[in-house]
Amino acid sequence: GGGGGGASGVKKEMSTDDSDSAPINAANTSYAYPDTQRDPFFAFIPKVAGWACGIVAGEANLVKGAIVGGPRWTKDFLAGTFTFYKEHPRILFDEVLSGFTVAIMQVPESIAFSFVAGVPPLSGLHATFWMATITGILGGKPGMISGAAGALAVVVADLTADNGVLDYLPMAERLNVLYMTMFVCGLFQIAFCVLRLAKLVRLIPETGMIGFMNGLAIIIFMAQLPAFMYCTDAPLFIECTVEQRQWLTFQDQPAELCLTLVHVAICMAIMKFFPLIPKIGRLLPASLVGLLVGTLLEHTLFRRVFDVATRTVSETAPMSGSPPKFDWPAIPNDSTTIQNVITFGLTLAAIGSVESVLTLQACNEITDTVPKIGDSNQELFAQGLANLVSGLFRAMGGDAMIGQSTINIMNGARHRVSSTMSGIFMLLFVIALSPFIELLPVATLTGVLFMVVLSTFQWKTFTILRYGRLSDSIAILLVTLIAVFFNLAVAIAVGIVFSALVHAWDSGAHVEADVTIKSMLVNGERVDEVKYCHIRGAVFFSSSRKFVNMFDVANDPELIVLDFKDALIIDHSAVAAIQGISSRFEKAGKKVLLTNLPVKSHGRLHRTGDHATLQDQITPARQLQDVKGSSAGVVVDEEAGEDGSQRGNIRRAASTESERRVDETNVGGRLASMEHFNVPVDSVEAELHRLNSDQGEVMVSSIHGGKF
């Protein structure tokens, strides 16, 4: 049958034996059900306590081992590293050069993401120093780069914005709350490592990641719009409120707006086409070349020739080239602020952990490295420690950066020197190059980030929306919209839940059963009419209704056998469905037996099922045998619909399933009644005698040696 929404094809073999069914002896069809006593109700408390203590003890042993063996391990590691690079100086040179190149590329992006987050540029640069250095030494993937990243910056902006959740605090206190939030974020990430939560990243579907990247790209794009605004009410643009900032227009400021657009266009063109120049395109990062050209145009051509200036870093939020300084962030003690610290700390920890683990997996694919869950957890610890330290040194924190990590690995870097040196070079740049950084036009930084937007956005989205499955399109749009208008972490969670529901809905349609009605020996006793159901698939909350609709209490025989050899009982909804079927059949004077239960299914029935009923139902397969030599019967191909209705076509068939022959129009029965097929068949000798008399002698010889 092909009815929509119904169960899959179910086959019945109706016995033509007219003998009455033998009575079913419940005592004979049951067996000793093991483990009839459940654990005491509160027995889980010591188990959970033991599990927690085991984790604490394990981590304590790790810390103890690190403290005791740390000095010796460090000595051996440094000696081995020194020996290795002494024997391979070219590798050391390539690692240091790659770290220097990556550090140069991180300078403009760190500054740009600082503006996205609404913090001073020095906060983003210091964050890149701490993130790159600490994760370079302790991270789970040598060569992977971390720093101030856009995924966290767009969330941090809600804490620092004038119209954000902390709008009741002045800017200085908002920054203190941010740094305390990063400290808490680091604690959460270390807790994720202790609980080994890195493996949960595999739950994120591809559609969720596409929506995440699209939302991130849109947020970064929207964060660049202030580059096309101006403010005259305060000496620094960052000190102006949202109401004080005004848009540049072609009517009032045509020159400033045109030059701002020129800066953006030139920088984007350089980043697009400079790497294509033979030889020269590989000497310097395209983003650095774009910044140099933009700065040169601003302070020579635009200001000296056209006498028109665009906003620079020094006019937005000047930076002082000082090294990081320890400063415990003092925050208000009110409940609202503390709640925001915890909430945003957890959100940032989740986003940073997801992006870091996914970046690690991407790096493993590039280097053809077998991924390990231990590496991901190690990376979570390093990320957490780096964010914790960043919060204590007034840095905005960050996570792994897939763009810089990819470039670093493609440069040939495979060791920790490159990623560690990128952080050290970043600190040197801050101390020595801060006067130059203040000269950078903000519009040029906007051009850099516009290219980041173009590379971050997943353009295959439009192909999926046009040709892909509807549920995939909805998932991508849902995650993207929630990420833009609410929160990146919540968007990922919604994407996981939505995809899980779609999968549950689809899986609910895949539970099937082969049903035959036949004679069987049940514990040595013959039962002439048994409904034997071979269940296939997963029985859980989504498929339980379809499973129940496979049965008809009024018309089914007195004994029903459920074979779970190729099925799995997933949750309590499946247990309740089985118990409900058994109860209804019992009230009708009929019996349900369960056989071939997998271990997990048996355990789920044991934990929440009725033990007295299960003891009478669960039957070993050896106590159920088919009756040999049963006569031919009638096959009914049946489909159980959502409403419980059953539809089928009666057919003639042999008694065994392997010998069935389909005859939907009963042609066999009609031919059997014709006279020609009722003539007795002659013997072989009589047939040969008739042929000899009609056609002459027929020689019949055996085959020997391949010849007649």
Side-chain angles (χ1 to χ4, degrees), residues 425-489:
F425 280 127
M426 174 61 67
L427 182 61
L428 295 177
F429 293 161
V430 170
I431 296 176
L433 300 179
S434 58
F436 169 76
I437 293 175
E438 290 186 342
L439 299 176
L440 294 175
V442 173
T444 303
L445 295 174
T446 300
V448 173
L449 283 178
F450 275 176
M451 293 301 296
V452 173
V453 169
L454 294 177
S455 61
T456 301
F457 190 87
Q458 302 295 298
W459 298 101
K460 60 184 177 182
T461 300
F462 299 106
T463 302
I464 298 175
L465 294 178
R466 173 62 181 86
Y467 301 105
R469 190 182 179 191
L470 178 61
S471 61
D472 293 337
S473 301
I474 294 176
I476 293 175
L477 294 177
L478 189 64
V479 174
T480 301
L481 293 176
I482 294 177
V484 172
F485 294 103
F486 191 70
N487 187 282
L488 284 167

Side-chain angles (χ1 to χ4, degrees), residues 187-262:
L187 294 179
F188 276 123
Q189 288 183 311
I190 294 175
F192 294 165
C193 168
V194 173
L195 297 176
R196 307 295 190 266
L197 297 184
K199 58 185 178 182
L200 296 181
V201 176
R202 64 186 180 186
L203 297 177
I204 302 176
E206 178 65 17
T207 52
M209 286 308 306
I210 293 175
F212 174 84
M213 299 301 291
N214 291 345
L216 178 61
I218 294 173
I219 293 173
I220 295 175
F221 172 80
M222 295 174 62
Q224 303 315 302
L225 297 181
F228 302 94
M229 304 176 70
Y230 72 99
C231 176
T232 58
D233 296 331
L236 297 177
F237 182 82
I238 197 173
E239 297 176 353
C240 296
T241 62
V242 176
E243 293 77 13
Q244 292 174 335
R245 300 176 184 179
Q246 301 179 23
W247 292 98
L248 294 172
T249 62
F250 285 106
Q251 295 179 351
D252 299 330
Q253 301 86 14
E256 290 84 350
L257 181 56
C258 289
L259 293 183
T260 299
L261 294 174
V262 169

Side-chain angles (χ1 to χ4, degrees), residues 101 105 265-293 451:
T101 304
M105 294 182 62
I266 291 177
C267 184
M268 294 180 67
I270 291 175
M271 292 187 65
K272 175 65 177 179
F273 298 107
F274 181 79
L276 303 179
I277 301 176
K279 297 182 180 180
I280 301 178
R282 298 183 179 181
L283 295 179
L284 293 174
S287 58
L288 179 62
V289 175
L291 292 178
L292 292 175
V293 172
M451 293 301 296

Side-chain angles (χ1 to χ4, degrees), residues 123 126-127 130-131 134 175-187 324-331 383-398:
S123 178
H126 284 171
W130 287 116
M131 297 299 300
I134 295 177
L175 291 177
N176 284 337
V177 172
L178 164 61
Y179 301 138
M180 178 57 72
T181 301
M182 295 311 306
F183 179 84
V184 174
C185 168
L187 294 179
K325 298 179 181 179
F326 178 84
D327 184 12
W328 178 264
I331 64 172
Q383 294 285 335
L385 181 61
N387 279 316
L388 186 149
V389 173
S390 295
L392 297 178
F393 285 85
R394 302 188 69 80
M396 62 173 282

